[in-house]
Amino acid sequence: MLYLSDKAFLILAFNTAGMLLINKTLQNNNIKTDLVPAPPETGTVCAIVVRVNENDLETSKSILSREQVVYKDIIEDKKLKLQGLIDRKLGLAVSVEFLEILKKIEAGDDLSYEDIVYLLKTDKPKELDVIYATADRIRKEMVGDAVEIRGAIEFSNYCCKSCKYCGINATNEIAARYRMTEEEILEVVDNLHREGIKTVILQSGEDPLWSTERIIKLIRIIKARTGMRITLSVGELTKEEYKELKANGADNFLLKIETTNRKIFEDIHPDDDYDRRVQCSKWLKELGYINGSGNIIGLPGQEISDIARDIMFFKEMGINMIGIGPFIPAKGTPLENLPHGNIELTVRTVAVTRIVCKKVYLPSTTALASLDKDAQVWALNAGANTIMLINTPEKYRGSYRIYDNKNMVDMDSAIYAVKKSGRKFPAYLKISKEMNNVD
Ligand code: SAH
């Protein structure tokens, strides 16, 4: 039997097209590859790299040279080793099981499903302190101290789907519908660009009148005018549509799995199929998107074990951005009378996701901010590194009510959260210079 090395190597490309070509060429030659987020030392030019096992390295090199596929570099996929997690002072305040998990984290080894369940479940205060501190250290090592600030425009709340939790679902008659025009969207984009924000998130319901062709026209203009990075969050499309959008300027795509428990998924998404959703996420990856997923904490019937599987899924799929938010009931939906998800469990899920997935974007979500003014601060201290501002024009904002009491995350609240968590503003923001607290 072939011995599989636990060492892996990363093949770095010059750009996304190159990365995709390398991946395809190797796969066509039966080499097993993974697309993974690039480690910090490679910079952020090409955010995804191709990983191959050490056993396949030499064959891969000769395949690429034979087929004249260029690459920029090959580096070892180094494990992130952390020293000093285990401290004698921990003493009896932590369990033997917990110490075993810490050993794995120190050595840079992957955690098992059981380890993840343990971290999500423990109620020992000292263990919790260590979990949060470890997530915070890994965040610092992998993505630094600056909090990424992105601007979201919720450009239409028309939706043809009936997701049971979502306040703008097709069947919710109390939702006041709006659809922004291209001009209205561009006006907001120009403002974001002036503030120095580098990424705009365009989010909507699944609105047939904002067709793929129309979105393509819009993103082409945004790219030409501002050069900003574009994140789309417009739901399930065909592979061809995702491809067209990518070719015309979309960089990132946010399509949350919401839950990896198939039964719950199908119960809360009467129009969607679980396998299809996973397929969409795989296509996004294959097409070279920075691939966003995430889950909702506190769905009816959801157990800690389900959340642990969600985290395994993010890791196995090589997801780059993971939005983790508590469930919040929305009036007019079938789930309107349920309690909201637990804040501590949500923040803890952020922390464990950082420990497991390492170099990823983890937003401190609006849903968290909606439950407590300080919840965004807690998430930033537990591994999160991104805040999404809501830039939907005031006259529409209240109608993008995916859940009730949705908080307004604006620049002021982001400044509050960044300061209170002791973090830094990114240098690209105009406002950062005045804040004098730039990374
Ligand atoms: N139509 C797009 C955008 C959906 S809104 C899509 O389907 O991808 C973005 C996210 O809001 C969803 O992925 C979901 O995780 C979250 N969301 C919607 N309703 C919610 C609720 N009631 N509580 C918590 N999160 C919710």
Side-chain angles (χ1 to χ4, degrees):
M1 208 184 85
L2 189 74
Y3 155 80
L4 198 65
S5 163
D6 77 341
K7 231 190 217 179
F9 284 82
L10 304 174
I11 309 178
L12 279 46
F14 287 99
N15 51 37
T16 309
M19 178 271 294
L20 292 174
L21 183 62
I22 293 167
N23 189 46
K24 202 160 170 211
T25 309
L26 294 177
Q27 285 188 348
N28 286 345
N29 285 279
N30 297 320
I31 301 281
K32 168 146 182 9
T33 61
D34 283 311
L35 295 179
V36 297
E41 67 269 23
T42 59
T44 52
V45 191
C46 178
I48 301 175
V49 296
V50 181
R51 180 168 60 193
V52 294
N53 188 273
E54 184 182 31
N55 300 125
D56 292 329
L57 183 64
E58 288 313 313
T59 328
S60 300
K61 279 189 193 161
S62 41
I63 292 168
L64 294 177
S65 98
R66 187 184 74 218
E67 306 214 4
Q68 299 180 359
V69 174
V70 290
Y71 54 85
K72 193 171 156 200
D73 203 359
I74 296 185
I75 59 172
E76 192 186 327
D77 185 14
K78 284 204 213 84
K79 295 175 175 179
L80 175 73
K81 298 208 163 97
L82 292 179
Q83 267 154 23
L85 290 184
I86 300 173
D87 181 325
R88 273 218 260 122
K89 281 192 296 231
L90 293 176
L92 292 176
V94 302
S95 70
V96 174
E97 233 173 321
F98 188 73
L99 285 176
E100 288 303 314
I101 298 177
L102 286 189
K103 265 190 212 155
K104 286 193 191 173
I105 301 174
E106 281 194 339
D109 291 338
D110 286 343
L111 298 189
S112 67
Y113 165 75
E114 288 76 19
D115 297 335
I116 296 173
V117 171
Y118 185 97
L119 295 180
L120 290 172
K121 273 193 177 162
T122 175
D123 54 6
K124 289 193 162 55
K126 188 71 209 171
E127 293 185 354
L128 266 177
D129 286 353
V130 176
I131 291 172
Y132 288 132
T134 305
D136 199 46
R137 256 184 80 182
I138 297 179
R139 184 270 308 151
K140 192 177 169 69
E141 296 260 353
M142 299 316 272
V143 292
D145 277 336
V147 177
E148 273 271 325
I149 307 284
R150 302 182 169 183
I153 308 172
E154 299 146 331
F155 65 94
S156 165
N157 73 349
Y158 279 89
C159 192
C160 59
K161 298 253 173 107
S162 304
C163 310
K164 285 188 188 163
Y165 48 87
C166 185
I168 62 165
N169 76 31
T171 49
N172 193 351
E173 278 164 14
I174 62 173
R177 304 288 165 173
Y178 71 90
R179 183 179 283 127
M180 287 173 70
T181 64
E182 183 182 292
E183 292 67 37
E184 286 175 314
I185 299 170
L186 289 171
E187 197 183 319
V188 183
V189 172
D190 286 340
N191 285 336
L192 293 175
H193 185 52
R194 268 195 293 276
E195 291 179 33
I197 289 176
K198 287 228 172 320
T199 305
V200 58
I201 301 160
L202 300 172
Q203 187 177 90
S204 68
E206 297 196 15
D207 177 0
L209 287 197
W210 256 107
S211 62
T212 301
E213 293 75 55
R214 261 185 93 187
I215 298 178
I216 286 177
K217 181 162 169 271
L218 173 70
I219 61 180
R220 287 178 73 101
I221 300 175
I222 295 176
K223 270 282 168 200
R225 240 155 95 157
T226 67
M228 287 170 85
R229 293 186 66 80
I230 299 169
T231 300
L232 293 178
S233 175
V234 299
E236 291 186 15
L237 299 172
T238 63
K239 184 175 186 187
E240 206 41 50
E241 288 175 302
Y242 287 139
K243 191 172 174 188
E244 285 292 303
L245 288 163
K246 182 83 184 55
N248 283 283
D251 301 283
N252 315 340
F253 205 105
L254 191 57
L255 179 73
K256 292 171 64 172
I257 190 74
E258 318 293 2
T259 173
T260 53
N261 178 315
R262 181 184 289 269
K263 197 180 161 303
I264 299 176
F265 182 97
E266 281 169 5
D267 183 39
I268 59 177
H269 298 111
D271 316 298
D272 292 327
D273 173 69
Y274 181 74
D275 294 319
R276 164 90 191 173
R277 177 69 61 113
V278 174
Q279 182 60 259
C280 285
S281 202
K282 286 188 179 154
W283 286 334
L284 291 167
K285 176 118 247 179
E286 267 172 51
L287 292 167
Y289 280 95
I290 301 291
N291 189 3
S293 186
N295 60 355
I296 301 180
I297 304 295
L299 290 169
Q302 186 187 43
E303 310 266 345
I304 296 279
S305 53
D306 295 316
I307 299 173
R309 287 205 180 83
D310 295 348
I311 298 175
M312 303 277 286
F313 170 86
F314 303 141
K315 164 97 177 163
E316 280 158 13
M317 294 277 292
I319 300 292
N320 309 87
M321 305 185 282
I322 304 161
I324 298 164
F327 162 74
I328 306 179
K331 268 192 210 70
T333 65
L335 307 185
E336 66 180 350
N337 293 320
L338 292 185
H340 66 70
N342 183 291
I343 302 182
E344 201 277 323
L345 180 58
T346 308
V347 174
R348 198 196 292 210
T349 305
V350 171
V352 179
T353 303
R354 172 65 72 194
I355 292 172
V356 172
C357 297
K358 307 219 157 60
K359 202 201 168 207
V360 287
Y361 286 104
L362 284 182
S364 178
T365 51
T366 310
L368 267 174
S370 302
L371 290 181
D372 192 299
K373 179 164 161 282
D374 279 330
Q376 277 196 306
V377 178
W378 303 328
L380 286 177
N381 286 329
N385 74 318
T386 306
I387 289 182
M388 299 184 187
L389 309 178
I390 295 177
N391 299 97
T392 308
E394 220 165 313
K395 62 175 167 176
Y396 300 129
R397 208 177 277 158
S399 302
Y400 198 81
R401 222 183 50 208
I402 49 180
Y403 43 79
D404 294 341
N405 306 314
K406 180 156 157 274
N407 197 358
M408 178 52 205
V409 176
D410 58 9
M411 194 59 101
D412 285 340
S413 51
I415 289 171
Y416 171 83
V418 172
K419 279 192 170 165
K420 196 153 180 192
S421 59
R423 297 281 282 288
K424 299 214 160 78
F425 295 93
Y428 56 76
L429 275 193
K430 294 273 184 315
I431 203 167
S432 300
K433 305 203 172 66
E434 297 151 34
M435 311 296 317
N436 206 13
N437 177 18
V438 178
D439 190 43

